[in-house]
Amino acid sequence: MDVVNPLRAGLTGTRFPEPCAAVIFGASGDLTRRKLVPALYTLAAERLLPPAFAIVGFARQGMTDAEFRSEMRKACDKYARHRPVDDALWASFEQGLHYVRGDYDEPAAYARLGALLERLDAEKGLAGNRIFYLSTPPSTFPVALHQLGTAGLVQRGRPKPFTRVIVEKPFGINLETARTLNRQALEVLDESQIYRIDHYLGKETVQNLMVLRFANGLFEPLWNHRYVDHVQITSAESLGIEGRGGYFEQAGILRDMVQNHLFQVLAITAMEPPVTLQADDLRDEKVKVLKALRPIPPGRFDEFVVRGQYGRGSVGGKKQVAYREEPGVAPDSNRETYVALKLHIDNWRWAGVPFYLRSAKAMPKKVTEVALVFTEAPLRLFGERFAAEHSPNVLAIRIQPDEGVSLRFGAKVPGNTLDIQPVNMEFRYGTSFGTEPPEAYERLLLDAIVGDQALFTRGDEVEASWRFIGRILDDWAARTDAPVPAYESGTWGPSEADLLLKRSGHAWRRL
Amino acid sequence: MTQPSREKLEHFTGGHEVGVDVAAIERELSALWRKASQDGHLAVSRACAWNLVFCCLEPGSHPVAKTLAEGVVAAVPSRTLIVHHQPRAEGAEVEAYVTAHCRLSPEGGKLLCAEEITIESRRTGFAHVPALLRALLVPDIPAALVCVGRPPEERALGDALTLGFDQLVVDTRHAEGPSELSRIERLWAKSRVSRLADLTWLRLSPFRLALAGMFDPPNGPEPLSRLRRIAVTCAADGLATAQLFVGWLAHALSWRRLRANSEREWEAATSAGPVEITVAPSTEPGPFGLSEVSLVTHRDERLRLKQLSAAALDIDASFAPARRIGAYAHTDAELLVAALGTRGRDRLYGQALRRALELSSDAAPRGEDEGAAEADR
């Protein structure tokens, strides 16, 4: 926003969002209660929302404004980062909460929505700016987008007043559907109006990965094939599918986690420094990484991809049933709850460096991290005095929980002999800064309001990741009789995944 | 877990050379780490992001500094040095004692968040403080000098001001009028510190942001060019806060001159004519320094910002819908943490301060561009 207001000049650390209305489709759902409205309330409490702002919930369930406000108050009481909710502030915030009942394919509902938005424009001075958040099943995206266009609620390519549409993942279920969805979206919007959310990009430590690389002169010279032996990216969850059998049977972990979250983390880890932090410059570099992924040779997928499915076991001291025993899951299901990939990025920076990605359910603990395992010193001067047989230097970026960065190196053990032990030098966000970072959705919603797309995925990024993942899915679909190894819940996955690394002399980090 | 440990490192009675064994302070701190680890048989890690030097020259400022230090190090692990000078107290000229504050880290090992060294100086003992600070500041870590209480005269701090601090922090909340505000400029000039932060300025943020927001689109900034009257309500002893706020307006709106007709009646010379500014005391000043700001223009456009609670401001304007906005009131410790971050290098503060000083009765008239380079330092 251009600074035409002299009182804004020199104000530090603030972005100045314009007045707008945020319409949440699927407002009766879980995401609205647990994340979206609590995030918006927190932004309001931190004075980050524009003074003129309204939230309209849109869903099939019948509800009055008062009922919606009451539900959202309960949600904020439970999930907002700023608790307890301030009564005086809430009294004002809830005046901006409204509700429209309607079906996603009901033109009359969009007409009602449009009439309400126009009234709110006049009452609150919202200037006609709109953000539409599609917190609905992916199958409804095309319908909702079409109806928004037909009702004139979005205008393609018009910068002011702005209209933006935020879309939740998954964006498509394969390359073809992703392309179709992109095409349908571009019929009513242009790319600058489409915000494909991947909440991993809103996480503090994912952004810290960029800061670590590009704000320090120390690491970037080492961040390449000369010094990095291999990279491990892990996203492990301790929980099972938690009753989402119907969804998971269709999706699987490759679609649910790898195609989006892990590939975004991979892209940020491997990308070249962008020329600026503007959205497209950043996303250009991420797309280059995804386009440089070496396709897995036909017929050799088993050398590069391992999948698994959790069996019975124990996690966190509690019994975990097998995946096939979960509600909504077929007793002979072959859907993967574990996947490990060995990837190569064919560019100058990373030629010859394997990237190992894994994501899984029912792991011993929840952890997401990126680890750069460095090459060993060219000469082992200290030979057997190194306590561990193989202790390369490791730079590990812990994304969750207990976010932070650690560096492992060898240090001399105090004493008269020259013994060397690996030690960790650690920085932990929670114990170093002591302040709570914003929730990912707070950051992402604010970015959408101010029009910053840097932390949202672009259409070509989505298609590039589906292009790679789609070949794996096609191979699995062609070999439905191929066994899916089981792994005991509470372990780190099937032994086949260990072999994936062992062939190259590598091993998974113990997390 | 707090592990107090008091040790007299050197004690000389009057008439002899006064010295403090700096090495003993470091040994004592190391012993504290070992004690912390032995108590629970857990590993102890050291974290230190800042050297924080709290300078307590006023009576009653020492407990304020202790509370502030404890609040800050919860967010920013630091070595804290509290310099407590008592010019008329009996006893040794310089004494020191150490304390460590530990808290549990999520992984179960204790994390040493703060080493606190208190240096008590009495009578002429302050002369030894700069050298002690030089020895005790942790190398390679930035250092901040926090003046607790009203802004001191720069001569009171002596050579302590020129130790190469990275950040100077003051709080002009209770500054007694314009003359004490002008001490800030002198402190800043002598210290040659590149970053100056005033907790009062940070405390004013909600009012400044709320006011600025009223002149964003679609309202627009035009009413600002035809202001006629401004009324500011602040704490009875909060004149400095009102000054800073008006100084900010003067800079942002390019007013030609500020002048104090009396202690609470000021006037701004603007291109559209004079603007009357009145400052009224409030019985309930609230957490932001100001409790209410009202503006009236030559076209009788009106705007009022009023503090409603510790978390909300009410805004009434004749040219925009009434609204209530979040205005989270921060503790002094939280403000200090912010001052140690990016908000501690706000150039706007220097510019607002310079204009605010025009309200000082002993200030010479300033031109619009005069001293701009210094304000931008």
Side-chain angles (χ1 to χ4, degrees), chain A residues 5 8 47 51 92 431-433, chain B residues 75 77 107 111 212 216 323-324 326:
Chain A
N5 177 356
R8 285 286 187 196
R47 290 187 325 274
S92 171
T431 50
S432 290
F433 290 117
Chain B
E107 291 172 323
L111 180 70
D216 289 331
R323 57 189 66 149
R324 183 171 297 165

Side-chain angles (χ1 to χ4, degrees), chain B residues 47-128:
Chain B
C48 188
W50 275 90
N51 291 290
L52 296 179
V53 179
F54 291 84
C55 207
C56 308
L57 303 180
E58 282 189 353
S61 58
H62 183 222
V64 172
K66 291 273 291 178
T67 305
L68 203 51
E70 282 175 22
V72 171
V73 298
V76 181
S78 314
R79 168 171 280 193
T80 302
L81 298 107
I82 299 182
V83 177
H84 182 207
H85 181 58
Q86 302 167 86
R88 294 181 184 79
E90 296 295 317
E93 286 203 326
V94 181
E95 279 187 306
Y97 54 93
V98 297
T99 303
H101 302 288
C102 294
R103 64 186 181 98
L104 280 172
S105 71
E107 291 172 323
K110 281 180 236 177
L111 180 70
L112 186 63
C113 297
E115 305 168 335
E116 186 177 293
I117 302 167
T118 301
I119 300 171
E120 289 187 350
S121 66
R122 303 176 183 99
R123 301 185 307 282
T124 57
F126 193 85
H128 298 279

Side-chain angles (χ1 to χ4, degrees), chain A residues 93-308:
Chain A
F93 181 79
E94 73 166 2
Q95 293 306 307
L97 290 173
H98 302 270
Y99 190 84
V100 171
R101 195 213 74 78
D103 283 316
Y104 306 119
D105 59 355
E106 181 194 342
Y110 289 83
R112 288 196 296 277
L113 175 62
L116 172 62
L117 290 172
E118 281 181 16
R119 177 166 69 82
L120 293 174
D121 279 343
E123 283 175 9
K124 294 179 184 291
L126 302 179
N129 295 321
R130 313 266 184 262
I131 291 174
F132 299 95
Y133 197 118
L134 302 188
S135 174
T136 55
S139 56
T140 62
F141 291 171
V143 172
L145 286 171
H146 174 72
Q147 291 287 354
L148 284 171
T150 304
L153 292 173
V154 296
Q155 287 79 29
R156 188 169 184 275
R158 187 186 68 188
K160 280 184 185 298
F162 65 74
T163 49
R164 298 172 185 146
V165 175
I166 303 176
V167 181
E168 272 282 345
K169 70 135 185 121
F171 203 78
I173 59 168
N174 52 35
L175 179 60
E176 184 187 340
T177 54
R179 277 181 174 156
T180 301
L181 200 49
N182 272 334
R183 197 172 52 245
Q184 287 167 332
L186 291 172
E187 283 170 4
V188 292
L189 302 160
D190 66 28
E191 181 64 40
S192 67
Q193 296 171 283
I194 305 171
Y195 289 68
R196 298 173 194 79
I197 219 170
D198 184 324
H199 72 271
Y200 261 51
L201 293 177
K203 290 184 181 292
E204 195 78 25
T205 31
V206 171
Q207 294 176 54
N208 191 42
L209 191 46
M210 283 196 282
V211 170
L212 189 76
R213 289 189 63 191
F214 306 132
N216 296 291
L218 171 63
F219 299 109
E220 197 59 16
L222 308 177
W223 209 277
N224 56 65
H225 70 266
R226 289 189 187 85
Y227 301 101
V228 176
D229 180 71
H230 67 277
V231 178
Q232 295 184 22
I233 302 176
T234 297
S235 174
E237 295 184 31
S238 56
L239 298 171
I241 59 170
E242 287 198 289
R244 296 190 308 154
Y247 162 74
F248 213 83
E249 279 282 84
Q250 302 303 314
I253 202 123
L254 188 67
R255 284 191 178 95
D256 188 48
M257 289 292 297
V258 177
Q259 180 271 329
N260 36 69
H261 301 325
L262 254 63
F263 266 33
Q264 285 297 314
V265 173
L266 168 70
I268 293 174
T269 303
M271 64 189 261
E272 297 300 318
V275 290
T276 72
L277 292 176
Q278 297 298 312
D280 277 334
D281 291 331
L282 205 58
R283 298 190 294 182
D284 284 347
E285 297 306 330
K286 287 197 290 169
V287 167
K288 285 181 195 171
V289 171
L290 299 175
K291 285 181 174 175
L293 286 172
R294 184 190 304 166
I296 298 171
R300 293 178 59 192
F301 281 84
D302 288 346
E303 295 175 38
F304 296 90
V305 184
V306 169
R307 52 179 169 163

